[in-house]
Amino acid sequence: MSFYTSSTFNPVLSEALNKIGLNKFVGTQVLPVRDVSTKSGQYAVFGDDQFDINASKERAAGSLFPRRDFSYDQQDYSCKQYALEGVLPDEDESKANDDGISDAAGAIAQKLQRDLMVGHELRVATLMTGAGFNETAQTGGAMSDPDAAKPIASIQNAVERLNGNGFYDGLALIIETSLFNEMINTNDVRGIFNGNGQYTDRQVILDALGVNQIILTPTRYNSAAKGKAANRTKIWNDAEYYVGQVAGGDFANGGFGRTLSYGPDGGVFAAEDYRDEPIKSQVLRVLNSVDEVIINTNACERITSA
């Protein structure tokens, strides 16, 4: 390894960083990962006019078989590399060891990775808000009014609309944590627990709403300028939520979106380190190469005024 610029992939750091990330961030739960073989390209999209057509006809003996045409559009993607480096001078590492920090490099790398993941989370949240999903206002009123809010009907109606588009499996309620807490304290939701509002089992809520899972979005980040007091800001909107089909892997699996990941350029997350000898420091680098895409707006509903 060169003393100056060559970097070496560090599998130990990568493993540790991914474990840290899964604890706090939900971007890859909302838009699961789909690996791609090229950094940019196109994928086919069949429109909703291409499905469930009553096109079969009675055929007379000896006649030609009825036929139908198929057409599709194409959507572009382009994975971009996001990266961040941190410098660990030899003197600082020695002092950290003296202070009882056995793995200063790992500690720095984890912070770098969390910064990288904040960017992904912000992009996913922004994409969801502007995706163009079918949008309806919550029935009754906002969750802050526990007497008026009717989230059960709002979510059930969204599920019925998704069913109408052919989406039955893998349905998720995606909701910011504080908004979810307000939701389970509405009279509408409390009424389904033992008749007296006693919370017993999350499965009761899932069954009542008609979804398979609830994805809470608690993520915050420091929105303050460098050098200013930290300002822990919510990444996800606490006045709206989503009901949609979540799926990963091949597009044929369904779902409304993916995090496209290009492995040779960093994939979902990677970590490297190299030596910068002129300043007697170890340099730690984290990177990814991704594109966050909505592949099917029909597979998700956005509920506002919540």
Side-chain angles (χ1 to χ4, degrees), residues 9-42:
F9 174 71
N10 190 321
V12 176
L13 289 183
S14 292
E15 180 180 348
L17 295 176
N18 285 334
K19 288 180 179 177
I20 291 294
L22 290 174
N23 288 332
K24 297 295 182 183
F25 297 90
V26 298
T28 53
Q29 286 182 259
V30 176
L31 296 182
V33 175
R34 203 288 192 193
D35 295 328
V36 291
S37 59
T38 58
K39 189 170 184 177
S40 60
Q42 294 180 321

Side-chain angles (χ1 to χ4, degrees), residues 169-184:
D169 302 320
L171 300 184
L173 168 64
I174 303 166
I175 185 169
E176 194 273 329
T177 303
S178 66
L179 186 60
F180 176 77
N181 290 337
E182 285 187 331
M183 184 187 84
I184 62 175

Side-chain angles (χ1 to χ4, degrees), residues 24-25 114 118 176 178 217-222 232-236:
K24 297 295 182 183
F25 297 90
R114 293 174 71 85
V118 162
E176 194 273 329
S178 66
T217 60
T219 324
R220 295 176 182 245
Y221 78 110
N222 180 16
R232 303 295 297 176
T233 302
K234 292 179 180 179
I235 287 180
W236 293 86

Side-chain angles (χ1 to χ4, degrees), residues 51-52 134 154-172 206-212 243-245 296-301:
F51 296 92
D52 303 324
N134 182 58
S154 299
I155 296 168
Q156 287 175 338
N157 290 339
V159 168
E160 288 184 20
R161 290 190 293 271
L162 291 170
N163 292 164
N165 287 331
F167 305 111
Y168 299 92
D169 302 320
L171 300 184
L206 295 175
D207 292 342
L209 300 180
V211 298
N212 304 108
V243 182
Q245 184 185 59
N296 191 349
T297 55
N298 289 335
C300 190
E301 296 272 327

Side-chain angles (χ1 to χ4, degrees), residues 291-304:
D291 188 12
E292 302 84 11
V293 298
I294 299 299
I295 62 173
N296 191 349
T297 55
N298 289 335
C300 190
E301 296 272 327
R302 180 184 177 207
I303 313 298
T304 62

Side-chain angles (χ1 to χ4, degrees), residues 23-289:
N23 288 332
K24 297 295 182 183
F25 297 90
V26 298
T28 53
Q29 286 182 259
V30 176
L31 296 182
V33 175
R34 203 288 192 193
D35 295 328
V36 291
S37 59
T38 58
K39 189 170 184 177
S40 60
Q42 294 180 321
Y43 53 89
V45 179
F46 287 93
D48 51 13
D49 62 330
Q50 296 294 305
F51 296 92
D52 303 324
I53 299 173
N54 183 22
S56 64
K57 298 178 181 179
E58 182 179 351
R59 174 182 170 271
S63 67
L64 296 174
F65 282 82
R67 296 178 178 178
R68 61 160 290 194
D69 296 326
F70 297 91
S71 62
Y72 63 89
D73 297 320
Q74 289 185 313
Q75 188 164 322
D76 297 326
Y77 74 88
S78 179
C79 293
K80 296 178 175 58
Q81 188 180 79
Y82 301 90
L84 193 61
E85 288 187 340
V87 177
L88 178 60
D90 292 349
E91 299 84 354
D92 289 353
E93 185 170 20
S94 296
K95 185 178 186 306
N97 289 333
D98 293 340
D99 292 339
I101 301 175
S102 60
D103 185 10
I108 290 175
Q110 289 170 5
K111 290 180 174 60
L112 292 173
Q113 180 68 353
R114 293 174 71 85
D115 291 347
L116 192 69
M117 295 180 74
V118 162
H120 178 259
E121 194 90 354
L122 284 165
R123 294 192 301 274
V124 172
T126 300
L127 182 64
M128 291 290 288
T129 298
F133 300 135
N134 182 58
E135 179 180 319
T136 55
Q138 178 166 268
T139 304
M143 304 286 196
S144 57
D145 186 342
D147 296 322
K150 304 296 181 185
I152 295 178
S154 299
I155 296 168
Q156 287 175 338
N157 290 339
V159 168
E160 288 184 20
R161 290 190 293 271
L162 291 170
N163 292 164
N165 287 331
F167 305 111
Y168 299 92
D169 302 320
L171 300 184
L173 168 64
I174 303 166
I175 185 169
E176 194 273 329
T177 303
S178 66
L179 186 60
F180 176 77
N181 290 337
E182 285 187 331
M183 184 187 84
I184 62 175
N185 282 289
T186 61
N187 292 336
D188 190 40
V189 174
R190 288 175 62 85
I192 67 176
F193 293 113
N194 293 339
N196 59 11
Q198 180 181 351
Y199 188 90
T200 56
D201 187 353
R202 177 69 63 88
Q203 188 62 45
V204 176
I205 297 182
L206 295 175
D207 292 342
L209 300 180
V211 298
N212 304 108
Q213 64 171 319
I214 297 172
I215 299 176
L216 299 181
T217 60
T219 324
R220 295 176 182 245
Y221 78 110
N222 180 16
S223 62
K226 184 178 179 179
K228 301 296 183 180
N231 181 19
R232 303 295 297 176
T233 302
K234 292 179 180 179
I235 287 180
W236 293 86
N237 194 322
D238 60 5
E240 65 182 30
Y241 55 91
Y242 305 89
V243 182
Q245 184 185 59
V246 175
D250 193 278
F251 292 163
N253 296 335
F256 58 80
R258 296 290 191 279
T259 295
L260 301 181
S261 164
Y262 180 58
D265 213 18
V268 183
F269 297 112
E272 301 172 347
D273 64 339
Y274 65 91
R275 182 73 182 168
D276 192 342
E277 190 60 31
I279 61 172
K280 290 192 175 299
S281 299
Q282 194 73 6
V283 181
L284 309 170
R285 175 188 296 159
V286 295
L287 65 156
N288 60 14
S289 181

